[in-house]
Protein backbone atom coordinates (compact mmCIF):
# COMPACT_ATOMS: atom_id res chain seq x y z
CA UNK A 1 0.00 0.00 0.00
CA UNK A 2 1.16 3.51 -0.78
CA UNK A 3 0.53 6.51 1.46
CA UNK A 4 -1.47 8.10 -1.39
CA UNK A 5 -4.10 5.41 -0.88
CA UNK A 6 -4.69 6.68 2.67
CA UNK A 7 -5.78 10.19 1.64
CA UNK A 8 -9.51 9.45 1.42
CA UNK A 9 -11.28 11.54 4.09
CA UNK A 10 -7.98 13.25 4.95
CA UNK A 11 -7.72 17.05 5.06
CA UNK A 12 -4.15 17.45 6.36
CA UNK A 13 -0.95 15.42 6.14
CA UNK A 14 1.71 15.89 8.83
CA UNK A 15 5.18 14.72 7.86
CA UNK A 16 7.92 13.98 10.34
CA UNK A 17 11.35 15.10 9.18
CA UNK A 18 14.19 12.99 10.61
CA UNK A 19 14.09 9.36 9.49
CA UNK A 20 11.25 10.10 7.06
CA UNK A 21 12.39 12.90 4.78
CA UNK A 22 15.87 13.61 6.17
CA UNK A 23 18.39 10.83 6.71
CA UNK A 24 19.68 10.74 10.29
CA UNK A 25 21.75 8.29 12.30
CA UNK A 26 21.58 8.53 16.10
CA UNK A 27 24.65 6.31 16.44
CA UNK A 28 26.79 8.91 14.67
CA UNK A 29 26.07 11.42 17.43
CA UNK A 30 26.49 8.88 20.25
CA UNK A 31 29.85 7.88 18.76
CA UNK A 32 30.96 11.49 18.19
CA UNK A 33 30.02 12.55 21.72
CA UNK A 34 31.80 9.54 23.23
CA UNK A 35 34.95 10.51 21.30
CA UNK A 36 35.09 14.05 22.76
CA UNK A 37 37.93 14.91 25.17
CA UNK A 38 37.08 14.27 28.81
CA UNK A 39 34.19 11.86 28.20
CA UNK A 40 33.55 10.04 31.48
CA UNK A 41 31.81 6.96 30.11
CA UNK A 42 28.29 7.85 31.30
CA UNK A 43 25.52 6.34 29.21
CA UNK A 44 24.43 8.54 26.29
CA UNK A 45 20.72 7.80 25.87
CA UNK A 46 19.82 9.23 22.49
CA UNK A 47 17.47 7.42 20.09
CA UNK A 48 14.31 7.67 18.06
CA UNK A 49 11.91 6.73 20.88
CA UNK A 50 13.98 7.07 24.08
CA UNK A 51 16.15 10.04 25.01
CA UNK A 52 17.80 11.57 28.05
CA UNK A 53 15.82 14.44 29.61
CA UNK A 54 18.52 16.97 28.64
CA UNK A 55 18.04 16.07 24.98
CA UNK A 56 14.26 16.33 25.34
CA UNK A 57 14.58 19.77 26.91
CA UNK A 58 16.84 21.16 24.19
CA UNK A 59 14.42 19.82 21.58
CA UNK A 60 11.66 21.81 23.29
CA UNK A 61 13.78 24.96 23.20
CA UNK A 62 13.94 25.16 26.99
CA UNK A 63 17.62 26.11 27.16
CA UNK A 64 20.12 28.10 25.16
CA UNK A 65 22.77 26.37 23.09
CA UNK A 66 25.40 27.48 25.61
CA UNK A 67 23.42 26.10 28.56
CA UNK A 68 22.90 22.84 26.69
CA UNK A 69 26.59 22.39 25.94
CA UNK A 70 27.46 23.19 29.56
CA UNK A 71 24.96 20.60 30.79
CA UNK A 72 26.62 18.06 28.52
CA UNK A 73 30.01 18.99 30.01
CA UNK A 74 28.63 18.60 33.54
CA UNK A 75 27.00 15.26 32.72
CA UNK A 76 29.62 13.66 30.49
CA UNK A 77 32.85 15.40 31.51
CA UNK A 78 33.63 16.99 28.17
CA UNK A 79 36.57 19.41 28.29
CA UNK A 80 36.23 20.80 24.76
CA UNK A 81 34.71 23.92 23.19
CA UNK A 82 31.07 24.62 22.39
CA UNK A 83 31.94 24.29 18.70
CA UNK A 84 33.37 20.80 19.24
CA UNK A 85 30.29 19.70 21.18
CA UNK A 86 27.97 21.18 18.55
CA UNK A 87 29.81 19.35 15.78
CA UNK A 88 29.36 16.06 17.66
CA UNK A 89 25.71 16.85 18.43
CA UNK A 90 25.05 17.52 14.73
CA UNK A 91 26.83 14.39 13.52
CA UNK A 92 23.38 12.76 13.40
CA UNK A 93 22.52 14.79 10.29
CA UNK A 94 23.25 13.12 6.94
CA UNK A 95 20.95 14.90 4.49
CA UNK A 96 17.56 14.68 2.78
CA UNK A 97 16.61 11.36 1.24
CA UNK A 98 16.88 11.52 -2.55
CA UNK A 99 13.13 11.05 -3.04
CA UNK A 100 11.98 13.32 -0.19
CA UNK A 101 11.05 16.46 -2.13
CA UNK A 102 9.26 14.52 -4.87
CA UNK A 103 7.40 12.43 -2.30
CA UNK A 104 6.15 15.50 -0.44
CA UNK A 105 5.25 17.19 -3.74
CA UNK A 106 3.14 14.20 -4.78
CA UNK A 107 1.17 14.37 -1.53
CA UNK A 108 0.94 18.17 -1.67
CA UNK A 109 -0.70 17.89 -5.09
CA UNK A 110 -3.65 16.26 -3.34
CA UNK A 111 -3.71 17.53 0.25
CA UNK A 112 -2.17 20.29 2.42
CA UNK A 113 1.14 19.18 3.91
CA UNK A 114 3.00 20.43 7.00
CA UNK A 115 6.12 19.33 8.85
CA UNK A 116 6.23 18.52 12.57
CA UNK A 117 9.76 17.78 13.73
CA UNK A 118 11.39 17.08 17.08
CA UNK A 119 14.51 19.15 16.54
CA UNK A 120 16.91 21.33 18.51
CA UNK A 121 18.03 24.76 17.35
CA UNK A 122 21.57 23.55 16.48
CA UNK A 123 20.19 20.68 14.40
CA UNK A 124 17.74 23.02 12.71
CA UNK A 125 20.43 25.54 11.80
CA UNK A 126 22.59 22.80 10.28
CA UNK A 127 19.74 21.04 8.43
CA UNK A 128 17.86 24.06 7.02
CA UNK A 129 20.24 24.83 4.13
CA UNK A 130 19.60 21.35 2.70
CA UNK A 131 15.86 21.34 3.41
CA UNK A 132 14.77 23.99 0.90
CA UNK A 133 13.67 21.53 -1.83
CA UNK A 134 11.37 19.90 0.73
CA UNK A 135 10.15 23.10 2.36
CA UNK A 136 8.93 24.55 -0.93
CA UNK A 137 6.22 21.88 -0.93
CA UNK A 138 4.93 22.36 2.65
CA UNK A 139 2.49 24.96 3.88
CA UNK A 140 4.08 25.31 7.31
CA UNK A 141 6.87 23.79 9.34
CA UNK A 142 6.42 23.24 13.07
CA UNK A 143 9.67 22.67 14.96
CA UNK A 144 9.64 21.47 18.57
CA UNK A 145 12.33 23.98 19.59
CA UNK A 146 10.08 26.81 18.39
CA UNK A 147 6.66 25.62 19.59
CA UNK A 148 7.90 24.25 22.94
CA UNK A 149 6.17 20.92 22.36
CA UNK A 150 7.70 17.62 21.39
CA UNK A 151 6.16 14.44 20.01
CA UNK A 152 4.82 12.11 21.32
CA UNK A 153 3.16 14.68 23.59
CA UNK A 154 -0.42 14.78 22.24
CA UNK A 155 -0.39 18.57 22.63
CA UNK A 156 2.24 18.76 19.87
CA UNK A 157 -0.15 17.16 17.40
CA UNK A 158 -3.09 19.22 18.63
CA UNK A 159 -1.03 22.41 18.30
CA UNK A 160 -0.55 21.63 14.61
CA UNK A 161 -4.13 20.59 13.85
CA UNK A 162 -5.46 23.65 15.69
CA UNK A 163 -3.10 25.99 13.83
CA UNK A 164 -4.14 24.45 10.52
CA UNK A 165 -7.86 24.31 11.35
CA UNK A 166 -7.89 20.54 10.88
CA UNK A 167 -9.81 17.79 12.64
CA UNK A 168 -7.39 15.22 14.12
CA UNK A 169 -9.70 12.48 12.85
CA UNK A 170 -9.14 13.76 9.31
CA UNK A 171 -5.38 14.14 9.70
CA UNK A 172 -2.70 11.69 8.56
CA UNK A 173 0.68 11.45 10.33
CA UNK A 174 3.66 10.12 8.38
CA UNK A 175 6.33 9.26 10.98
CA UNK A 176 8.95 6.64 11.78
CA UNK A 177 8.55 6.59 15.57
CA UNK A 178 6.32 3.94 17.14
CA UNK A 179 5.71 6.20 20.14
CA UNK A 180 4.67 9.12 17.93
CA UNK A 181 2.38 6.93 15.85
CA UNK A 182 0.74 5.48 18.98
CA UNK A 183 0.13 8.95 20.43
CA UNK A 184 -1.38 10.15 17.15
CA UNK A 185 -3.65 7.12 16.98
CA UNK A 186 -4.79 7.93 20.51
CA UNK A 187 -6.07 11.25 19.19
CA UNK A 188 -7.98 9.55 16.39
CA UNK A 189 -5.43 10.43 13.72
CA UNK A 190 -4.52 8.09 10.88
CA UNK A 191 -0.88 7.07 10.73
CA UNK A 192 1.60 5.76 8.18
CA UNK A 193 4.68 4.45 9.96
CA UNK A 194 7.74 4.73 7.75
CA UNK A 195 10.66 2.33 7.74
CA UNK A 196 13.69 3.72 5.93
CA UNK A 197 17.03 2.18 5.09
CA UNK A 198 19.96 4.61 5.14
Amino acid sequence: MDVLQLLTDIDLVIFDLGGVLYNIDFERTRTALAALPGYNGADITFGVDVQDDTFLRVDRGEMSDEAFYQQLRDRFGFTCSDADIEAAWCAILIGPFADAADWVASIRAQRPVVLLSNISYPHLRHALPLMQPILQHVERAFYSCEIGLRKPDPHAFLHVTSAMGADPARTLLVDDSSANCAAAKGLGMRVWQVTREA
Side-chain angles (χ1 to χ4, degrees):
M1 179 183 288
D2 184 86
V3 67
L4 291 169
Q5 297 175 266
L6 299 178
L7 297 181
T8 304
D9 300 325
I10 291 295
D11 298 326
L12 178 67
V13 179
I14 300 175
F15 268 95
D16 179 33
L17 182 63
V20 175
L21 301 175
Y22 199 104
N23 194 1
I24 59 174
D25 183 348
F26 287 91
E27 185 58 34
R28 284 166 51 123
T29 279
R30 286 192 295 268
T31 299
L33 288 173
L36 289 176
Y39 176 52
N40 60 17
D43 185 43
I44 301 172
T45 306
F46 181 58
V48 66
D49 282 323
V50 180
Q51 294 195 32
D52 182 275
D53 184 63
T54 299
F55 302 141
L56 299 180
R57 291 181 58 217
V58 76
D59 271 2
R60 291 192 298 262
E62 295 174 359
M63 65 180 84
S64 68
D65 295 353
E66 295 75 18
F68 173 55
Y69 302 142
Q70 188 56 51
Q71 283 210 9
L72 295 187
R73 284 190 190 92
D74 294 343
R75 176 79 177 272
F76 299 110
F78 303 141
T79 56
C80 51
S81 68
D82 285 359
D84 290 336
I85 297 174
E86 180 165 318
W89 176 237
C90 292
I92 185 177
L93 303 170
I94 299 172
F97 288 106
D99 64 345
D102 289 342
W103 189 24
V104 174
S106 70
I107 304 295
R108 180 64 187 89
Q110 299 191 39
R111 297 292 188 275
V113 172
V114 298
L115 288 183
L116 174 59
S117 176
N118 290 341
I119 192 167
S120 66
Y121 280 114
H123 285 166
L124 183 58
R125 285 195 307 272
H126 284 255
L128 269 176
L130 298 178
M131 287 169 50
Q132 297 314 308
I134 297 169
L135 292 176
Q136 68 179 337
H137 300 297
V138 304
E139 294 199 8
R140 288 184 65 178
F142 297 86
Y143 304 118
S144 62
C145 58
E146 293 181 346
I147 66 174
L149 297 166
R150 189 185 186 284
K151 299 174 292 181
D153 182 346
H155 293 97
F157 300 111
L158 294 176
H159 176 89
V160 174
T161 55
S162 176
M164 298 303 297
D167 181 347
R170 295 179 64 89
T171 298
L172 172 67
L173 174 70
V174 182
D175 203 301
D176 64 325
S177 162
S178 297
N180 295 347
C181 289
K185 284 180 182 178
L187 295 172
M189 296 169 62
R190 282 0 124 71
V191 302
W192 174 268
Q193 187 167 357
V194 173
T195 302
R196 284 273 200 180
E197 295 296 332

